[in-house]
Structure formats: C-alpha cells, structure tokens
Amino acid sequence: MAKSPYTKPVLDKDLDKIGMMESAAQFVMTRAATPALALIFIVCAASAAISMSAGSAGMLFIAVAAVMAAYMAMNIGANDVTNNVGAAVGARAISLRNALILAAVCEIAGAFLAGDRVVATIKDGIIGASLTPDPDMLIIIMVSALFAAAAWINIATWLNAPVSTTHSIVGGIMGAGAAIAGVQAVNWRQLLEISAGWLLSPIIGGLIAVSFLWLIQTAILYATDRLEAAMRWVPMLLAVMSGSFVSYLLLIGVDGAVGLRTWQAIAAGPVVSVICYFPFRRVVARQADRLDRKDPSIKLLFRTPLVFSAALLSFAHGANDVSNAIGPLFAVVEASGIQSVTANQDAPFWVMALGAFGISVGLLLFGPRLIRIVGSQITKLNPIRAFCVAMSAALTVIVASALGLPVSSTHIAVGSVFGVGLFREWHVAHSTQRRIYIEAKALKGDKKAARELIAARAASEETTQSVDNNYRYLVRRSYLLSILAAWVVTAPMSGALAAGIAAALQRLIQ
C-alpha cells in the first residue's frame, strides 16, 4: 500500500520529541550534579579539618578556613587553570576531555611535589605572624581574605573573565590586614616585589613566545626543505623543554634531600637536554615519514610537544598557585597552636591534599567554561603558535616558582597570546622573508627570482598601497582592554571585600 504524501510521520516526530526530552533532562541533571559534587568536596574538606584538629581550641577556625580554602581552590581550577590548556585545545592538538584529565593529574603532582616553596610567601610574606601578635587577628585576616578572593573569582568566572587568582588572594590579605591590624601590618616591600612580578611576567612571557615563534618561522617554516628543517629543529625544542623541566625539579630539591647547589640544578638542564635530544629525534623522524614530503604539514609535528608543554605548564601552575588556596589555611593552622605544625614548617599533608585536589575538582567541574577565552577568542592559534605560548608560559612560571615569587599564570598566558598575535600582525605586514618565501613557492622554489620580483614591486607606489591595504589586525583589541581592566580591578575589589568581611567578623567575635 502506497504511503500517502499527506500523511504526517507522527511516530518519527514523537520519537524525536522523546529524544529531545531525554537530552534536556540529561543536561539539567548534569548542571545540577556539578554544584552538588562541589558541595560534597567542601563537606569532605571540613570533615578532614575537624578530624585533623580534634581537641584543639582553634578547631572551629580551622574548619571554617578549610571550607574557604576548598572554595578558593575550586575557583582557581575553574578560572586560572584553563590558561594552561586553553592554547592546546584552541589549536585542536588535544580534546577538551583529555586536556582536563591531563591538567588535573599534573596540577596534583605539581602541588604535592613542589608547592611548599611558594606557600611561605603567601602565608608570611604579606601579613606575617610577627606583625600580628594576636592569633585571632591573623585568623580573621586569612579567613576573610580566602572568602573575598574566592567570591570575586567566582563572580569573574560567571562573567567569563579570566582574572588573576594571585591578584585576588594578595589583595584580600592586604585589605583584611589593613582593616584589622592597620596599614603598618602590611609588608609593603614584599607587596612591591610581588607587584613587579605581575608587571614583568606578561612582558617576559610575550617576549619568550615571540622568540620561539620567530625561531620556528625562520628556521623551519621558511626553509627550502621544511620537512628536513623540522626534523632537525623540533627535537631540539623538545629537548629544551625536557631540560627545563628537570632543572625545575632539581631546584625544588635544593632545600630538600637532593643536596645540589642552585647552579648545579640549573646546569643539569642542558645536560638532560642533550641526552633527550636523540630519542626525540627518532620519534620526530617516525612522525615525519608519515607526512607528504612535497607539501608537508609541519603543524602536525607540534601536536605532541604542545601536549607535553601543556602538561609542564599545569605542573608548574600546581606548584605555584596552590599557595593561593592553602597559604592562608596554613597560617590559620599555625596560629591555632598545633605543635606538630609549628615544629615543622612544611605544610601538613592534608592541607596540601585539600589544595591539590580542590584545584583539580574545580577544573573538571567548571573549567570548560573559560578554556576558549585564551585558546581561540584573543587571536587564532595553530599548533605552532600554541606551542610557543605554552612553552613561554611554562618557562616563566617555572622561574617564578623556583624564586618563590607568586606571579600570575593568567598574566603570563595572556601576555604570551597577545605577544604571538601582535608579532604575527607585524610579520605579515613587514617581513621580507615571508614575501620571499611566498613568491618563491609560486616560482617553484626560485628564491633569486623571488627577490628580484619583490625588489621591482617595492619601487612602485602601488605596491606600497597594497602592502598597507593588506595589513590585518590579528588580535582583538577589545579583549586586551577588557582583560587589562579586569586585572586592574581584581586586587582592589578583593581587598575592599576582605576588609569589610574582616571588620564584620571582628565585631562579631568581640
């Protein structure tokens, strides 16, 4: 029996509606499960704090500080950690799910293995216990700073604005300290040193990223035999990354059981780079054999090192920024008079675990929301540009962590992205090497003829106008202004909010 053209496919439409309802229900359940899981983690943090401080007079304060630290750690994961993997995801070198898993594992490893060096700066460097002889005052300052910083970061994440978690916590401690103990309690010299790191880190990050991009373009992309040049240079870049990673681990061990001097730890990096170069060369050679030799896609060779650099950056971030969550908590634990902590200046294991796992929980639950801000909305990234960004950010954070200076990974990552984008603008408009390469490719590799053609065109006014008209803006200036505004506002907002909270708590306790 022939089907009437006027008959509506009722069953198909009903099935489609049922499928849409199931998808909607699953979406709603997922959105509801995310805050529920976050609440479970906060409850676990409070339970762990109570069990570890049972019998202490400051058990209640420690529990409250642990809740605030867990809240802060999750917000760090939601807002700040996305900068570590945003470039790799934006360049499509790794999927979002795999990037989240990779970052979570590396963040935990970095916090546990290397987080203690920077904790002391946050704990004592801004408002030291010696400047606030009353332990209750120090506890109020740290709890207020944690709550204010976490609340501001939560608001910024909701507004899709990547801000500095270090800005937030330092501003919170400064504001609460000034409100409770007076402006004389703030270590202004330490604050100026930290502020210098905030100012220098994006500049250094941008310069390093531009240097790597210039090297790759000059040595590989514009070479006569791009594949041969890539097989020679990519293993070197991987080896440099490996050496930097090993030097950082050894620098962490300078105060520990390794027993090496600082110059020995740094000198070990080049040695490791030389050793790693040979296995990396074999790996890259195998990958290069799969490419088309006539027109090789060199970008594919940078996917693996880009993932490696993202892991390195996440490790460094875990070592550097875990202090933003657990530094104030550690100060509260010490001020509460637990002898096992004051006798040993290393942060207790449960405190480190709270910060490490809190960052990863926040990343997995809330991180995907901001990953695309740095990865794709400032400037277009491919695997090569993303590699330069991640490599630059990793090296800058590693140096800062080795020095015990809490810098902002957000500033470094964003500075690197803007540096790459601005360099591309200049390079496209003014690079003679790029024009020679393009013309030589059209002339079947004849660079001499390409140079002559470019010289002839440069003599005409039409060429000058053409070059000016071809100048393109490859960086969104609006993002630059909005991000700079967020950076400027973060510390004052956190400080003002922390000052208000601290004043209210002081009146409540008294």
Side-chain angles (χ1 to χ4, degrees), residues 346-367:
D346 292 334
F349 177 81
W350 71 271
V351 174
M352 294 297 302
L354 187 151
F357 287 101
I359 291 176
S360 296
V361 169
L363 170 66
L364 295 174
L365 294 180
F366 307 104

Short mmCIF file of all heavy atoms in Angstrom, two decimals, residues 346-367:
data_model
loop_
_atom_site.label_atom_id
_atom_site.label_comp_id
_atom_site.label_asym_id
_atom_site.label_seq_id
_atom_site.Cartn_x
_atom_site.Cartn_y
_atom_site.Cartn_z
N ASP A 346 56.90 22.74 57.00
CA ASP A 346 56.24 22.24 55.80
C ASP A 346 54.74 22.13 56.05
O ASP A 346 54.29 21.79 57.14
CB ASP A 346 56.79 20.87 55.41
CG ASP A 346 58.23 20.94 54.95
OD1 ASP A 346 58.63 22.01 54.46
OD2 ASP A 346 58.96 19.94 55.09
N ALA A 347 53.96 22.42 55.01
CA ALA A 347 52.51 22.33 55.16
C ALA A 347 52.11 20.88 55.41
O ALA A 347 52.66 19.96 54.80
CB ALA A 347 51.83 22.85 53.89
N PRO A 348 51.14 20.64 56.30
CA PRO A 348 50.68 19.28 56.56
C PRO A 348 50.13 18.63 55.30
O PRO A 348 49.65 19.30 54.38
CB PRO A 348 49.58 19.47 57.61
CG PRO A 348 49.85 20.80 58.22
CD PRO A 348 50.47 21.64 57.15
N PHE A 349 50.17 17.31 55.28
CA PHE A 349 49.75 16.59 54.09
C PHE A 349 48.29 16.87 53.75
O PHE A 349 47.95 17.05 52.59
CB PHE A 349 49.96 15.08 54.30
CG PHE A 349 49.48 14.25 53.15
CD1 PHE A 349 50.27 14.08 52.02
CD2 PHE A 349 48.23 13.65 53.18
CE1 PHE A 349 49.83 13.32 50.95
CE2 PHE A 349 47.78 12.89 52.11
CZ PHE A 349 48.59 12.72 51.00
N TRP A 350 47.44 16.92 54.76
CA TRP A 350 46.02 17.12 54.46
C TRP A 350 45.76 18.51 53.90
O TRP A 350 44.84 18.70 53.09
CB TRP A 350 45.17 16.85 55.70
CG TRP A 350 45.27 17.87 56.79
CD1 TRP A 350 46.15 17.88 57.82
CD2 TRP A 350 44.45 19.03 56.96
NE1 TRP A 350 45.95 18.98 58.63
CE2 TRP A 350 44.90 19.69 58.14
CE3 TRP A 350 43.38 19.57 56.26
CZ2 TRP A 350 44.31 20.88 58.60
CZ3 TRP A 350 42.80 20.75 56.71
CH2 TRP A 350 43.26 21.39 57.87
N VAL A 351 46.56 19.49 54.32
CA VAL A 351 46.42 20.84 53.76
C VAL A 351 46.83 20.85 52.30
O VAL A 351 46.15 21.44 51.44
CB VAL A 351 47.26 21.84 54.59
CG1 VAL A 351 47.24 23.21 53.93
CG2 VAL A 351 46.73 21.93 56.01
N MET A 352 47.97 20.21 51.97
CA MET A 352 48.41 20.13 50.58
C MET A 352 47.39 19.37 49.74
O MET A 352 47.10 19.76 48.60
CB MET A 352 49.77 19.44 50.50
CG MET A 352 50.91 20.22 51.14
SD MET A 352 51.23 21.81 50.34
CE MET A 352 51.57 21.27 48.67
N ALA A 353 46.84 18.29 50.29
CA ALA A 353 45.86 17.49 49.54
C ALA A 353 44.61 18.29 49.26
O ALA A 353 44.02 18.20 48.17
CB ALA A 353 45.52 16.22 50.32
N LEU A 354 44.18 19.10 50.23
CA LEU A 354 42.99 19.92 50.02
C LEU A 354 43.19 20.88 48.85
O LEU A 354 42.32 21.02 47.99
CB LEU A 354 42.67 20.68 51.30
CG LEU A 354 41.37 21.49 51.36
CD1 LEU A 354 40.87 21.58 52.79
CD2 LEU A 354 41.54 22.90 50.80
N GLY A 355 44.35 21.54 48.82
CA GLY A 355 44.61 22.47 47.72
C GLY A 355 44.78 21.78 46.38
O GLY A 355 44.22 22.21 45.36
N ALA A 356 45.53 20.67 46.38
CA ALA A 356 45.81 19.97 45.13
C ALA A 356 44.54 19.41 44.51
O ALA A 356 44.24 19.62 43.32
CB ALA A 356 46.83 18.86 45.37
N PHE A 357 43.76 18.68 45.29
CA PHE A 357 42.56 18.07 44.76
C PHE A 357 41.45 19.11 44.54
O PHE A 357 40.62 18.94 43.64
CB PHE A 357 42.07 16.97 45.69
CG PHE A 357 42.91 15.73 45.65
CD1 PHE A 357 43.84 15.48 46.64
CD2 PHE A 357 42.80 14.83 44.61
CE1 PHE A 357 44.64 14.35 46.61
CE2 PHE A 357 43.60 13.70 44.55
CZ PHE A 357 44.52 13.45 45.56
N GLY A 358 41.46 20.17 45.33
CA GLY A 358 40.45 21.22 45.12
C GLY A 358 40.61 21.90 43.77
O GLY A 358 39.63 22.17 43.07
N ILE A 359 41.86 22.18 43.38
CA ILE A 359 42.10 22.79 42.08
C ILE A 359 41.62 21.87 40.96
O ILE A 359 40.97 22.30 40.00
CB ILE A 359 43.59 23.13 41.92
CG1 ILE A 359 43.98 24.27 42.85
CG2 ILE A 359 43.90 23.51 40.47
CD1 ILE A 359 45.45 24.62 42.83
N SER A 360 41.92 20.58 41.09
CA SER A 360 41.52 19.62 40.05
C SER A 360 40.01 19.45 40.00
O SER A 360 39.42 19.32 38.92
CB SER A 360 42.20 18.28 40.29
OG SER A 360 43.60 18.40 40.17
N VAL A 361 39.36 19.43 41.16
CA VAL A 361 37.89 19.33 41.18
C VAL A 361 37.26 20.54 40.48
O VAL A 361 36.34 20.40 39.67
CB VAL A 361 37.39 19.20 42.63
CG1 VAL A 361 35.87 19.37 42.69
CG2 VAL A 361 37.78 17.84 43.20
N GLY A 362 37.76 21.73 40.80
CA GLY A 362 37.22 22.92 40.15
C GLY A 362 37.46 22.92 38.65
O GLY A 362 36.60 23.34 37.87
N LEU A 363 38.63 22.43 38.24
CA LEU A 363 38.93 22.36 36.81
C LEU A 363 37.99 21.41 36.10
O LEU A 363 37.43 21.74 35.04
CB LEU A 363 40.38 21.90 36.62
CG LEU A 363 40.80 21.53 35.20
CD1 LEU A 363 40.77 22.74 34.30
CD2 LEU A 363 42.19 20.91 35.21
N LEU A 364 37.78 20.22 36.65
CA LEU A 364 36.94 19.23 35.99
C LEU A 364 35.47 19.63 35.98
O LEU A 364 34.75 19.35 35.02
CB LEU A 364 37.11 17.87 36.69
CG LEU A 364 38.51 17.24 36.58
CD1 LEU A 364 38.59 15.98 37.43
CD2 LEU A 364 38.85 16.92 35.13
N LEU A 365 35.01 20.29 37.04
CA LEU A 365 33.59 20.63 37.13
C LEU A 365 33.24 21.92 36.40
O LEU A 365 32.19 22.01 35.77
CB LEU A 365 33.18 20.74 38.60
CG LEU A 365 33.23 19.46 39.44
CD1 LEU A 365 32.78 19.75 40.86
CD2 LEU A 365 32.38 18.36 38.82
N PHE A 366 34.10 22.93 36.50
CA PHE A 366 33.75 24.25 35.99
C PHE A 366 34.73 24.80 34.95
O PHE A 366 34.49 25.87 34.39
CB PHE A 366 33.67 25.26 37.15
CG PHE A 366 32.77 24.83 38.27
CD1 PHE A 366 33.30 24.35 39.46
CD2 PHE A 366 31.39 24.89 38.13
CE1 PHE A 366 32.47 23.95 40.51
CE2 PHE A 366 30.56 24.50 39.17
CZ PHE A 366 31.09 24.02 40.35
N GLY A 367 35.84 24.10 34.70
CA GLY A 367 36.89 24.64 33.83
C GLY A 367 36.54 24.86 32.38
O GLY A 367 36.99 25.85 31.79
#
